[in-house]
Amino acid sequence: MADQTRTSVNRNQRIILFPIPFQGHINPMLQLANILYSKGFNITILHTNFNAPKASNYPHFTFQSILDNDPENKSSVSRDIHTFAQNLLFKQDGAELAFREELKLLLSSRNDGHVLCLITDALWHFTQSVADSLNLPRLVLRTSSLFCTIVYASIPVLDDLGYFKLSDNNHLEKLVPEFPVLKLKDIVKMGLKGKKDPVAELIGNMVKNMKTSSGIIWNSFKELEESEIETILDKFPVPNFLIPFPKYITAASSSLLELDRTCFPWLDQQPPNSVLYVSFGSIGQVEVKDHLEIAHGLVDSKQPFLWVVRPGFVNGSTWLEALPDGLMGEGGRVVKWVPQQEVLAHKAIGAFWTHSGWNSTLESVCEGVPMICSPFRSDQPLDARYVSDVSKVGVYLENGWQRDEIANAIRKIMTNKVGEEIRERSKALKQKLDASLDKGGSSYESLESLVTYISNFNFGGII
Ligand code: UDP
């Protein structure tokens, strides 16, 4: 982990952070909060009651629930992620008034530190106008890649070209002229119905309000996405900071699910680089038939594996009941949820079969672990393509869940010659990343400039 002690500021200076309450968004925001705390800032976390972070894991932070406190309020959400998205995430206009009032109260009542700025998830786009109306600087945390965000900023253009509605297989394999890294099927796989899709509208608002923010913090690093930086600076002409959070702190303390650590004694007994770690994130779901293909693919590969099957991962099943008894044999272990980065850092892990969520991708890169990519939707197909065709630190399973292809891909990445090159590139990328954390390196400098930038904010408070 990187040395976090160089720049430090007056502990009297407070930053307010507001994550989107999904695992893949809470993790990086809490990692960022810890990094900023280590630099001397006081931290207040605003959060919804839905998926509230575990405050007891952060005795050094102040927590304040906001927005979904009132059970009578129709923006109140507590049931599931889809209800939350429908009620609050997609309809942020209704949240503006309530958020402004609660934020004003917070800004005027606190006497435990001078507030410098607000940092919100980029998807909380409505917070920009609230911050503007209070003259409070707002930075955004963007929890996906630079590349994905550039593609997201082009959704209206891609829709006008008809790419989201393509179904002809002959076209789907062609490269996208506007983004020659991508195939047309990657755009289709994002799962948008076009620019009028509620998710696309949310993204459009996000992009618009990122451009007028006081700055953008990316969970990434220059050497990983070097070719995207010029476009980002052109499309988002505000200060941009690229900081690889997993190199400073893991995401284990913000896990919403209980962490199973019983896999570590088992991993300790496995030879170096011999185990495939398998996890498809906190939200994605598969049908029973796909679950069976995954299981058969794993068994047929004859490689040891550690497979996270999150309860709810299989549509209509609670956990493993759809798998025939004895199918998984003795070759691997199936668990419900683990401290992922610690697993990836274990010397027994040889590769990661992932859904290409951005946190998982970056955690894998940080540990120098090559990937097999099986994206579901949204940014995941874009990240999968980038990993396999640009960074070349993984292989992309492009044709869905098919046991033969799965077993072949596992053998390829774990054992054979092509896999060896991918494994070498993964290690080389990790070395570049490690070097970027040293004084004068890109990540080191980015974090130092963020700290200086925030320290110099001069928010005058509420009048
Ligand atoms: N994760 C974890 N334990 C697991 C599987 C995943 O702690 O068993 C964490 C992982 O480390 C990552 C997050 O869950 O930080 C998943 O985020 P990602 O962006 O990869 O995917 P999402 O869940 O948003 O689809």
Side-chain angles (χ1 to χ4, degrees):
M1 298 284 147
D3 175 2
Q4 299 169 28
T5 57
R6 295 172 191 108
T7 308
S8 72
V9 294
N10 179 353
R11 183 69 76 193
N12 210 19
Q13 298 181 315
R14 179 170 292 276
I15 302 172
I16 300 176
L17 300 100
F18 185 30
I20 291 280
F22 301 160
Q23 187 73 79
H25 292 251
I26 294 172
N27 284 358
M29 187 64 91
L30 271 295
Q31 285 171 301
L32 174 63
N34 265 316
I35 295 168
L36 293 173
Y37 181 83
S38 78
K39 291 293 185 182
F41 296 105
N42 253 328
I43 298 295
T44 294
I45 305 286
L46 302 183
H47 63 89
T48 53
N49 286 321
F50 171 69
N51 278 350
K54 208 179 272 173
S56 58
N57 285 349
Y58 304 91
H60 47 312
F61 295 170
T62 304
F63 285 85
Q64 168 90 38
S65 71
I66 199 156
L67 282 185
D68 66 342
N69 295 330
D70 176 7
E72 297 301 314
N73 187 324
K74 65 178 174 4
S75 72
S76 177
V77 281
S78 56
R79 275 171 292 157
D80 61 37
I81 216 154
H82 302 290
T83 317
F84 175 84
Q86 291 301 334
N87 286 357
L88 200 49
L89 195 53
F90 292 155
K91 298 183 190 152
Q92 297 190 19
D93 292 352
E96 203 171 313
L97 200 65
F99 185 75
R100 181 181 290 110
E101 289 315 305
E102 293 193 52
L103 189 61
K104 266 166 79 176
L105 222 56
L106 186 75
L107 291 172
S108 52
S109 69
R110 296 226 75 84
N111 52 13
D112 54 350
H114 174 72
V115 174
L116 293 171
C117 66
L118 174 70
I119 302 180
T120 82
D121 193 294
L123 283 175
W124 282 133
H125 57 80
F126 80 96
T127 59
Q128 186 61 48
S129 58
V130 175
D132 286 346
S133 72
L134 298 171
N135 284 323
L136 178 67
R138 172 200 180 231
L139 285 108
V140 303
L141 167 61
R142 180 69 187 122
T143 61
S144 290
S145 64
L146 278 69
F147 177 64
C148 148
T149 308
I150 293 168
V151 177
Y152 274 12
S154 308
I155 286 173
V157 176
L158 300 174
D159 187 30
D160 289 345
L161 291 163
Y163 295 161
F164 290 110
K165 299 187 181 79
L166 287 177
S167 55
D168 177 350
N169 278 342
N170 295 328
H171 288 309
L172 292 177
E173 291 299 324
K174 288 188 185 145
L175 296 178
V176 180
E178 293 72 20
F179 293 98
V181 168
L182 297 174
K183 291 183 183 176
L184 283 163
K185 67 179 180 187
D186 301 329
I187 303 282
V188 173
K189 205 167 162 58
M190 288 166 71
L192 298 173
K193 291 191 198 79
K195 61 189 171 204
K196 294 272 178 250
D197 187 299
V199 177
E201 287 187 348
L202 175 68
I203 291 169
N205 283 322
M206 175 191 81
V207 166
K208 192 172 92 194
N209 286 289
M210 282 171 74
K211 293 180 186 195
T212 56
S213 71
S214 296
I216 305 170
I217 304 167
W218 304 86
N219 185 16
S220 188
F221 60 101
K222 177 172 165 252
E223 287 73 8
L224 179 61
E225 299 197 81
E226 191 128 36
S227 43
E228 315 312 320
I229 290 177
E230 202 181 313
T231 313
I232 283 290
L233 295 178
D234 180 47
K235 286 190 185 292
F236 299 92
V238 294
N240 283 269
F241 306 92
L242 277 69
I243 302 164
F245 302 162
K247 276 287 168 190
Y248 294 86
I249 184 159
T250 76
S253 54
S254 52
S255 183
L256 295 167
L257 297 176
E258 198 182 324
L259 297 170
D260 179 350
R261 293 180 179 273
T262 60
C263 60
F264 288 107
W266 178 78
L267 282 174
D268 290 343
Q269 288 164 10
Q270 309 305 313
N273 304 316
S274 66
V275 177
L276 177 74
Y277 170 62
V278 187
S279 173
F280 303 110
S282 64
I283 297 176
Q285 270 195 325
V286 291
E287 299 303 322
V288 168
K289 70 174 177 25
D290 300 327
H291 193 212
L292 278 167
E293 291 301 306
I294 297 171
H296 278 287
L298 284 171
V299 172
D300 294 352
S301 77
K302 300 198 167 30
Q303 300 297 311
F305 58 85
L306 174 64
W307 182 14
V308 172
V309 180
R310 192 190 77 244
F313 173 62
V314 186
N315 201 2
S317 286
T318 52
W319 197 41
L320 301 178
E321 63 272 22
L323 300 181
D325 284 347
L327 172 65
M328 301 316 291
E330 300 293 309
R333 277 180 67 107
V334 186
V335 289
K336 289 184 174 159
W337 197 248
V338 293
Q340 177 162 295
Q341 199 182 335
E342 278 175 57
V343 167
L344 287 168
H346 196 285
K347 63 180 184 345
I349 297 298
F352 179 15
W353 184 11
T354 170
H355 70 307
S356 300
W358 185 241
N359 294 289
S360 295
T361 303
L362 199 61
E363 287 159 14
S364 205
V365 168
C366 283
E367 300 305 335
V369 175
M371 285 167 263
I372 299 172
C373 304
S374 289
F376 293 103
R377 65 188 74 76
S378 313
D379 58 333
Q380 298 158 13
L382 312 177
D383 295 338
R385 183 64 67 196
Y386 208 84
V387 160
S388 76
D389 292 19
V390 180
S391 311
K392 297 188 167 61
V393 291
V395 292
Y396 185 176
L397 273 177
E398 297 188 26
N399 302 314
W401 312 104
Q402 295 178 31
R403 62 184 77 179
D404 294 349
E405 282 192 25
I406 292 169
N408 283 338
I410 296 173
R411 282 191 291 264
K412 176 174 165 184
I413 203 147
M414 299 284 290
T415 58
N416 81 12
K417 184 85 188 126
V418 181
E420 193 178 314
E421 287 163 19
I422 296 175
R423 294 194 293 276
E424 286 307 316
R425 271 196 295 273
S426 305
K427 278 194 212 126
L429 186 56
K430 176 181 184 292
Q431 279 163 6
K432 279 191 197 171
L433 168 55
D434 289 343
S436 83
L437 302 170
D438 293 338
K439 193 166 183 144
S442 63
S443 302
Y444 175 97
E445 293 304 325
S446 209
L447 177 54
E448 293 302 295
S449 33
L450 174 65
V451 170
T452 308
Y453 183 60
I454 292 178
S455 306
N456 287 331
F457 281 136
N458 194 14
F459 172 59
I462 300 281
I463 302 152

